[in-house]
Structures are given as C-alpha cells and as structure tokens.
Amino acid sequence: MHINCSRPASVLMYTLVYFLLVSPNAADYQFPSSPWTRIGQCTSVYSGPRTSIFNYTTAEITTMANRATRVRMCSAGSTTDCVTSVAGSFPITNLQAGQMAISHPPTGVCQVPCATNTWTGPSQRVPLNMWNSCASRADAISRNQFYWACNNGGGIHMTNYMPGGQCGWTSGGTGGDPGIDIFIDEGTFAPTSQPTSEPTGWYESYSALSAPNLTQLEARITGVETRLEAEILAEVRAVRTALRTEVDNLQVQVDNLIGNVNILNASMQALNASVGAMQTRVDSVNATATATGTRLGGQIDAITAALVNAIPAPTAASTCTGAACAPQVQASGSNLLVTAPGGTVQVQTAACSAVDLCQLGTYQANLIAALNAL
C-alpha cells in the first residue's frame, strides 16, 4: 500500500489507527471497500487454551449487526464455499438482539423449507447443512451453540468456544473439515488471501476512510478507548482494593501480635511479682522458724535444767531414837495422817511402784517453781 505523506496528517493517522485498532489481522486486509466483516472463526483442529470463537464481544457484535443485514459463513479461507442469509432474516436479527445463536428463529425450529427460504448458497450446502428439527434458540444459547443443526447429523454444529466444542459443516466436524469463518455485511473491510499486486493509491485510502466509514472508525476508536479506560480503571481499582484488604489484614495481625506481646509482658511482670512476694514470704517463714527454733531450744534447755533441779536432794538421816522414831497412823475426821519420824513414807499399790510421798511433794514443788521462773 502506498500513502502520499504530503496529505493531511489526520488522514495518515486514521489510516494507521485503522490497521492498529480495527483490522483483526492487518496483514490479511486490503483497502478496496467490501461489505463483509469477519466476526469469528472456528476450526476442528484447534489446540490451545479454551477461548471464544468470536473476534469481538457480544455487545460489539450486537452494535455491528445493527449496521448489517446479512450473515455469511464460509469454509475457512474460501470466498466461494459460503452460505449467506437472506437480508433481514432471523440470523441477523438474532445478532441484532444480542442473541448469539443463528440456527433457530426466535421461536420454533427451522426445517428444510425454512432453511431454503433463509439461506442461499451452493446446493451441497443449502438446505443440507442448514436445517434443524428440534430444540429452540434459547436451547442453543444455553448449550453455547452458535449454530446447532439439531436432529441433523449432516448439518452445521458450531460451539462458541474452542477447544472442547464442535466446529464443522457436519456434527462430526473433524478430519478434512477446514473450519468455518463467520461474517456480517457491516460495511468495513473483508479479508483476502493475498495482498493486492498494485499499491493502493492515497485517494483510495482516503475514500475508504471518509464519509460513513470514517465516522464508524472514529466511533470504534472511541469505543475501544472507552473500553480500555474502563478495563484499566476496573483493574486498578481491583488491585487497589486487594492491596488495601491485604494491608488491613496485615495490620490486624500486627495489632493482634502487639496485643499478645503486651499480655505476655503483663503476665511475666505479674509472675515476677508473685515470685518475689513468695520469696519474701519464704524468707519470713524461715526467719520465724529460726527464731522459734532458737526460742524453743532455749525453753527446752531451761525445762531440762528445771527438771534436773527439781529432783530433791536425799533426805538427811533421822536423829530420832527409840520409840520416838516409830511410824504412826492417825485419823482426824476425814483426813488420814501418816508419820515416820525415823524414816520415809512410801505408798505402793498393784498399779504403782513404791513412791516416797515426801520426795514426790518436794519434786512437785521444785518443778512448779522452775516452770514459773521461765
């Protein structure tokens, strides 16, 4: 393609923008105006991550379809092995309504007479590949079937995603089936198998980008900008929200950790205080025990000494002689008086050994005196 660089910069800009933003594959497109825009394609030998067969979103296809009147499906890469819907028939009106299924009218099925009146194309395609006799448009949408020749094993079966779906002129959709390209006559530029042999003149480029096509291009650029801005803004907001949530969660964890550390410190301080108080108590008990032991030891020693001192000294031998030393027993009222001037008085029973009552009395008196002195 040849562009005259002496022309206004706006025309050059729009030409460049078309190839960068509008053309799905700029290397496969040329400037001569064509009514057909490829909106999707599928192949039975696709391998890769699961993806949509469409080049545009449903909303974009709906907008484009409202500028179109027909749908065309061709064997991949072919411009002759194609079927085309009658202008204004249900395949295009379904897309205009945002319903991504073109095999069924809004209600009911499309059997052979319906397919013949809805589609045009070579006899090996229409109506053979196009009719159906079961399900509905709603059923096709729920099964993600862009085209579902229900009950027609020799008809088109096309799922709106690959791999894992169906794609072909028949229900098998494998082997030599080349896949299918999908177009609508939206009025932009159609693909060609090879670039044109002669460079396109500047006036042709300007003509292709002027009037309604230029307006459509500007609208599409604006739509792309708006969508990109919205997507970027949404992504930024999502990332910001996620980061804020992570920061908040981290702050909560830090606060909890600080709280736990403070609790642990308080517990340790309380424990240390308890240990200190216990040690003081132990020291006090030890001191008390030592003082008590010392005091009791002194008392025991004093009692021992008192006991020793309380033992009376042996009674001196009597100096009496004769009858004056004879012991006597006298009764005086309720009292009994026993005397032994020349010896001792002892009492002995079956339960008690002999005891000198005099010495016992003396011992008792001495012991009481010693204890009173402590």
Side-chain angles (χ1 to χ4, degrees), residues 31-51:
F31 268 95
S33 181
S34 168
W36 297 108
T37 298
R38 184 170 64 183
I39 62 171
Q41 59 283 316
C42 71
T43 172
S44 60
V45 295
Y46 177 86
S47 62
R50 181 167 173 168
T51 185

Side-chain angles (χ1 to χ4, degrees), residues 224-245:
V224 170
E225 291 175 344
T226 301
R227 187 171 73 252
L228 286 177
E229 289 176 357
E231 291 176 352
I232 292 173
L233 182 59
E235 185 68 20
V236 169
R237 286 175 176 171
V239 171
R240 184 174 61 187
T241 299
L243 287 176
R244 182 175 299 166
T245 300

Side-chain angles (χ1 to χ4, degrees), residues 258-284:
I258 292 174
N260 291 335
V261 170
N262 291 336
I263 292 173
L264 182 60
N265 287 336
S267 299
M268 289 298 297
Q269 292 174 359
L271 180 61
N272 288 337
S274 298
V275 171
M278 186 177 295
Q279 185 62 49
T280 301
R281 181 73 178 273
V282 169
D283 292 342
S284 176

Side-chain angles (χ1 to χ4, degrees), residues 193-349:
S193 58
Q194 297 293 333
T196 53
S197 57
E198 295 296 331
T200 304
W202 173 87
Y203 65 93
E204 294 179 68
S205 301
Y206 181 78
S207 175
L209 289 172
S210 62
N213 287 338
L214 185 57
T215 301
Q216 294 173 10
L217 178 59
E218 291 174 336
R220 185 168 296 173
I221 292 173
T222 301
V224 170
E225 291 175 344
T226 301
R227 187 171 73 252
L228 286 177
E229 289 176 357
E231 291 176 352
I232 292 173
L233 182 59
E235 185 68 20
V236 169
R237 286 175 176 171
V239 171
R240 184 174 61 187
T241 299
L243 287 176
R244 182 175 299 166
T245 300
E246 289 294 329
V247 169
D248 291 343
N249 291 338
L250 183 59
Q251 185 61 52
V252 170
Q253 294 176 8
V254 170
D255 292 342
N256 291 338
L257 181 60
I258 292 174
N260 291 335
V261 170
N262 291 336
I263 292 173
L264 182 60
N265 287 336
S267 299
M268 289 298 297
Q269 292 174 359
L271 180 61
N272 288 337
S274 298
V275 171
M278 186 177 295
Q279 185 62 49
T280 301
R281 181 73 178 273
V282 169
D283 292 342
S284 176
V285 170
N286 286 336
T288 301
T290 300
T292 300
T294 300
R295 180 167 51 82
L296 289 177
Q299 292 176 347
I300 291 172
D301 291 342
I303 291 172
T304 302
L307 291 174
V308 172
N309 293 331
I311 300 174
T315 303
S318 175
T319 59
C320 66
T321 58
C325 295
Q328 298 179 6
V329 176
Q330 298 176 359
S332 176
S334 59
N335 297 319
L336 178 65
L337 177 62
V338 179
T339 59
T344 61
V345 177
Q346 295 183 353
V347 178
Q348 183 174 2
T349 67

